[in-house]
């Protein structure tokens, strides 16, 4: 086993435990949107994007439940890699909700509109309605997925506000009512084999420290983004 392979479930568990030992409290994106000025003294807004595997999201859900922490899981509807409403995946989604976690929509509306030649607004409304009905919930937030079409789904929100769709936030919303990215220390595993960080919206070019290392720096508000697909027991291709 190459010691450089650091994105194991075991390592992730240890990093969350370190944060808890240092006094951090974990909240959902919805929690932040509803009470952004009343966050605990040391807060982690705990976000999970599910790109390719709901099975691995189930592992993250189990980890959160063991640790007694909550998070927000953003789910794609049109991924060729998984069907969120297959027998097992729907069971996992129900388990996530039963654990007290938030489920949001991992939006691909510009991709949908271009591929299907449909109106992007109609795509978003339909997708939110579908998730609400299938899961018997009311989606509060959206995180825009960065796919392989060359389109930036986040561009949709340059001309729309989440409130138009009964939402509280988009995950990178800069409106005063949310503005989490630009008011926090942001840590993400989105480069798959290494971490990256932003301090109040500014990229820290040479900082590849892990979440577990960053919590030791006593940041008051951390916006953590992990991807369920990144983690494994022994290696990425298992």
């Amino acid at each position: 086993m190459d010691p450089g392979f650091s994105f194991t479930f075991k390592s992730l568990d240890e990093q969350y435990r370190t944060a808890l030992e240092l006094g951090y409290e974990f909240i959902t994106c919805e929690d932040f949107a509803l009470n952004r000025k009343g966050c605990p003294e040391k807060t982690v807004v705990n976000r999970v994007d599910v790109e390719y595997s709901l099975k691995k999201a189930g592992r993250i859900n189990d980890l959160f439940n063991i640790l007694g922490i909550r998070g927000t899981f953003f789910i794609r509807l049109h991924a060729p890699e998984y069907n969120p409403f297959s027998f097992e995946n729907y069971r996992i989604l129900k388990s996530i909700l039963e654990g007290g976690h938030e489920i949001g929509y991992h939006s691909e509306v510009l991709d949908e509109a271009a591929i299907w030649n449909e109106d992007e607004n109609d795509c978003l409304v339909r997708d939110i309605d579908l998730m609400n009905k299938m899961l018997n919930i009311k989606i509060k937030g959206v995180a825009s997925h960065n796919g392989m079409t060359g389109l930036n789904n986040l561009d949709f929100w340059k001309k729309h506000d989440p409130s138009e769709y009964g939402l509280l936030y988009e995950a990178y919303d800069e409106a005063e009512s949310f503005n989490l990215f630009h008011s926090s220390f942001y840590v993400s595993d989105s480069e798959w084999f290494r971490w990256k960080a932003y301090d109040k919206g500014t990229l820290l070019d040479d900082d590849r420290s892990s979440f577990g290392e960053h919590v030791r720096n006593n940041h008051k508000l951390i916006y953590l983004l992990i991807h369920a697909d990144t983690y494994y027991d022994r290696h990425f291709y298992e």
Side-chain angles (χ1 to χ4, degrees), residues 84-142:
F85 302 125
S86 69
F87 287 113
E88 180 60 11
N89 287 341
Y90 183 63
R91 185 199 65 78
I92 291 170
L93 289 178
K94 289 181 65 177
S95 178
I96 289 171
L97 290 172
E98 289 165 0
H101 309 292
E102 178 189 9
I103 287 181
Y105 172 44
H106 208 16
S107 169
E108 302 172 271
V109 291
L110 296 190
D111 298 335
E112 295 171 51
I115 292 169
W116 298 333
N117 193 28
E118 294 185 356
D119 180 78
E120 56 200 38
N121 181 77
D122 293 342
C123 290
L124 179 61
V125 170
R126 180 176 60 216
D127 286 352
I128 291 173
D129 187 52
L130 176 61
M131 291 192 75
N132 286 341
K133 287 180 177 177
M134 286 295 293
L135 295 170
N136 193 29
I137 60 176
K138 182 171 175 55
I139 294 291
K140 300 295 185 181
V142 164

Side-chain angles (χ1 to χ4, degrees), residues 215-234:
V215 292
R216 298 186 183 278
N217 295 323
N218 203 37
H219 301 289
K220 298 302 182 185
L221 177 62
I222 295 177
Y223 187 8
L224 173 63
L225 167 60
I226 65 171
H227 294 75
D229 325 274
T230 304
Y231 296 89
Y232 45 79
D233 290 308
R234 292 185 54 81

Side-chain angles (χ1 to χ4, degrees), residues 2-229:
D2 185 339
F5 289 9
S6 59
F7 286 90
T8 61
F9 287 109
K10 181 177 183 293
S11 172
L12 187 65
D13 177 281
E14 291 169 351
Q15 292 178 70
Y16 275 102
R17 289 180 187 274
T18 296
L20 287 169
E21 289 168 2
L22 292 171
Y24 279 93
E25 297 185 41
F26 289 81
I27 66 173
T28 67
C29 293
E30 179 184 0
D31 292 335
F32 180 80
L34 291 172
N35 193 27
R36 64 186 305 274
K37 293 184 179 180
C39 291
E41 183 179 353
K42 296 173 70 174
T43 298
V44 177
V45 181
N46 192 21
R47 170 182 163 190
V48 183
D49 284 3
V50 184
E51 307 284 325
Y52 304 114
S53 173
L54 258 169
K55 181 178 180 180
K56 287 193 172 185
R59 289 284 300 274
I60 301 293
N61 174 54
D62 291 342
L63 171 61
F64 289 173
N65 292 342
I66 289 170
L67 296 177
I69 63 178
R70 298 170 62 237
T72 299
F73 292 76
F74 288 101
I75 307 300
R76 296 170 68 191
L77 283 185
H78 309 293
E81 294 82 8
Y82 69 85
N83 171 9
F85 302 125
S86 69
F87 287 113
E88 180 60 11
N89 287 341
Y90 183 63
R91 185 199 65 78
I92 291 170
L93 289 178
K94 289 181 65 177
S95 178
I96 289 171
L97 290 172
E98 289 165 0
H101 309 292
E102 178 189 9
I103 287 181
Y105 172 44
H106 208 16
S107 169
E108 302 172 271
V109 291
L110 296 190
D111 298 335
E112 295 171 51
I115 292 169
W116 298 333
N117 193 28
E118 294 185 356
D119 180 78
E120 56 200 38
N121 181 77
D122 293 342
C123 290
L124 179 61
V125 170
R126 180 176 60 216
D127 286 352
I128 291 173
D129 187 52
L130 176 61
M131 291 192 75
N132 286 341
K133 287 180 177 177
M134 286 295 293
L135 295 170
N136 193 29
I137 60 176
K138 182 171 175 55
I139 294 291
K140 300 295 185 181
V142 164
S144 298
H145 175 66
N146 184 18
M148 300 300 292
T149 64
L151 298 170
N152 185 349
N153 289 292
L154 192 57
D155 287 344
F156 176 85
W157 300 101
K158 291 180 178 179
K159 53 187 177 182
H160 295 281
D161 186 271
S163 62
E164 297 174 39
Y165 304 93
L167 302 171
L168 290 176
Y169 67 89
E170 197 287 330
Y172 295 108
D173 189 354
E174 296 182 24
E176 186 177 353
S177 59
F178 194 69
N179 198 32
L180 176 55
F181 180 69
H182 288 281
S183 61
S184 66
F185 190 88
Y186 173 92
V187 189
S188 171
D189 64 8
S190 57
E191 293 191 3
W192 290 97
F193 57 89
R194 63 185 183 184
W195 294 88
K196 65 179 180 180
Y198 290 75
D199 190 5
K200 294 181 173 59
T202 300
L203 176 65
L204 304 181
D205 288 309
D206 300 321
D207 193 334
R208 300 298 177 181
S209 301
S210 69
F211 165 61
E213 292 169 316
H214 281 301
V215 292
R216 298 186 183 278
N217 295 323
N218 203 37
H219 301 289
K220 298 302 182 185
L221 177 62
I222 295 177
Y223 187 8
L224 173 63
L225 167 60
I226 65 171
H227 294 75
D229 325 274

